[in-house]
Amino acid sequence: MYDARKGLGPVLRRESRPALAGLIAAGVSFGITEIFAGLISGGPSLIIAVGSGVIDLSPKFAKDFAIAVFGTNDKLALLISIVVIGLGLGALVGVAGMRKFWIPQLGFAVFGIVAAVAGIAEPQLSPVLALIGALLATSAGMWTLAMLLKLVQAQEMPQPVRDPRLMALGRRSFMRMAGAFAVLAVGTAAGGRVMLERARTIASSRLDVILPAPRDAARQIPEGAMVEAEGIGPIVTPNEDFYRIDTALSIPQVDLSTWTLKIEGLVDRPYELTYDELLDLSRVERHVTLCCVSNEVGGDLVDNAKWLGVPLSELLDRAGLQPEASQIVGMSVDGFTAGFPVDTVYDGRQALVAVGMNDEPLPLKHGFPARLVVAGLYGYVSATKWLDAIVVNRWEEFDGYWIPRGWSKEGPIKTQSRIDVPLNGRTLQPGLQPIAGVAWAQDRGIAKVEVQIGDGGWQETQLGEAISKDTWRQWVLPWDATPGRHVIAVRATDATGETQTAQISSSDPDGATGHHTIVVDVSG
């Protein structure tokens, strides 16, 4: 009964216990899935499995929105959302369980079914282990909630029956048990994550890899490739700063002792390569700029690196392409696929099965042990990471992962440019100021970059020396800044003579277009 002298505190605390019980029970379920995945080789992290299912089933506008809002943190945001929603639903189930005992049982059963289906759908997970993991998580959640609700229900007995001393004992028992289960939830989740990361590192054996010296080394970066403009990024992007956009919520674990790269499909002589055999063939080194199709005008989902690998044409020639072969499909160990025309492998562009990135083995998050790098094509049709197989087929008989989801089947990179200096919205001092950035048109090269300030005409910039036609070029325009507000735009012209269009379009379905434009103020 409400006591006006004590206020609402005791009532709210008592009423909140079912919700707290459900929240903790959901946390225990999550924790059990993580510790199971960490303890059992091949065991599933059902949080990751559910997240992967969400990615696969989400419409493309949802994916575009997530990338636009969260950038390369989109997967972390999804996982956090799954946990938060799961805990919230657990709290609701706990409240409902005070009225109908079957509701929490049904709620956790639904959770178990969803987790099991998601786990079974993951190509890297054992279906049996996915079922076992879902059963353990569901059972743990049900049992935890039942134990806590029993203590809560003891406090809901009719007033004449209640003994104040027993009530106090019940409150203490609930808080002790709730605290113990909360520690269990956090401990198992954290412990499972630690073990998963350790197992991933052990399985990859990346630290033991020694890359071969290239027989055909990349061209040395010319001294004139970098322009003088404070704040512009390096011409070669460090591995830790290189953008990452893919569908993998959890970095795939690849055991080098059993991994092979398979070349199959419409070939006369299908074969497999071990990692050591692939290393022996990987003696070509090239600078190639990669770009994501989701990169908006002026965006940062584009970077340049030095790649070590074997030309894809050599691997295909060894297999012997059949006459009807028209598409190359990269297949990842996590089930991702991307396809591009056979002709692009033989038209003179760089197309590599890469094993090295900026003088070290591929980082785990960028595709270790091997990935595809194809100059001039957006990553969604070419840049398969964690490569498992290269399958040759007909263009019309297979669509890669993103094509049924509304993206264009062909993904040639558009001519683009970006202003890095000054930053949009900055206030500058009057006088000489650099306007600088990068421009790219892979497989064609950049011939000219122009800047427009306000209503003035287009002014040609100073270009940094090109490394190759497959990399971006830096550019700079010294500007005598005058007081006032200025709108600055940039456009590039590629080596074929095509100038970047001013027409604005979104990245869907085959890459964004328009001129990158910023606004700056120059103080008076």
Side-chain angles (χ1 to χ4, degrees), residues 38-119:
L39 288 172
I40 306 298
S41 177
S45 168
L46 296 180
I47 299 174
I48 299 294
V50 170
S52 296
V54 170
I55 288 178
D56 289 343
L57 296 175
S58 296
K60 64 179 183 296
F61 75 83
K63 296 184 177 75
D64 294 345
F65 175 79
I67 292 174
V69 174
F70 299 108
T72 56
N73 294 315
D74 56 338
K75 298 173 185 62
L76 176 61
L78 174 59
L79 292 177
I80 292 174
S81 299
I82 289 172
V83 172
V84 170
I85 292 172
L87 294 177
L89 291 175
L92 293 176
V93 164
V95 173
M98 291 294 292
R99 297 174 178 83
K100 301 284 187 180
F101 177 75
W102 58 266
I103 292 180
Q105 310 303 317
L106 176 62
F108 277 98
V110 170
F111 165 77
I113 292 171
V114 170
V117 170

Side-chain angles (χ1 to χ4, degrees), residues 19-35 47 82-91 93 108 111 136-138 140-142 144-145 148 178 180-190:
L20 179 60
L23 185 149
I24 291 174
V28 169
S29 286
F30 284 143
I32 292 298
T33 71
E34 295 300 290
I35 199 69
I47 299 174
I82 289 172
V83 172
V84 170
I85 292 172
L87 294 177
L89 291 175
V93 164
F108 277 98
F111 165 77
L136 287 174
T138 301
M142 287 180 176
T144 301
L145 184 57
L148 291 174
F181 281 131
V183 170
L184 174 66
V186 173
T188 51

Side-chain angles (χ1 to χ4, degrees), residues 1 8 54 66 103 152-153 174 257 267 364 366 408 417 436 464 481 500 508:
M1 180 178 294
L8 287 172
V54 170
I103 292 180
V152 175
Q153 288 167 346
F174 174 83
S257 66
V267 296
L364 299 180
H366 290 301
S408 172
S417 54
Q500 180 180 342
D508 177 14

Side-chain angles (χ1 to χ4, degrees), residues 262-268 312 316 319-331 337-343 345-346 381 389-401 403 409:
K262 295 169 279 293
I263 316 296
E264 54 194 24
L266 296 178
V267 296
D268 296 326
L312 183 53
L316 296 176
L321 293 179
Q322 295 178 2
E324 63 270 32
S326 55
Q327 180 174 220
I328 308 298
V329 177
M331 308 192 77
T337 57
F340 51 95
V342 167
D343 292 345
V345 179
Y346 294 96
V381 296
I390 295 171
V391 180
V392 183
N393 55 27
R394 299 176 184 84
W395 183 255
E396 66 278 4
E397 75 180 15
F398 182 85
D399 289 330
Y401 178 90
I403 312 310
K409 185 158 174 108

Side-chain angles (χ1 to χ4, degrees), residues 382-444:
S382 66
T384 305
K385 302 175 184 175
W386 311 291
L387 196 58
D388 177 66
I390 295 171
V391 180
V392 183
N393 55 27
R394 299 176 184 84
W395 183 255
E396 66 278 4
E397 75 180 15
F398 182 85
D399 289 330
Y401 178 90
W402 286 110
I403 312 310
R405 291 163 170 82
W407 295 87
S408 172
K409 185 158 174 108
E410 297 187 23
I413 292 176
K414 293 177 167 58
T415 301
Q416 285 289 323
S417 54
R418 184 182 75 200
I419 301 171
D420 290 342
V421 180
L423 294 176
N424 186 38
R426 282 295 176 89
T427 299
L428 308 176
Q429 296 298 315
L432 194 62
Q433 296 281 356
I435 303 173
V438 289
W440 59 92
Q442 293 92 309
D443 191 46
R444 302 180 301 281

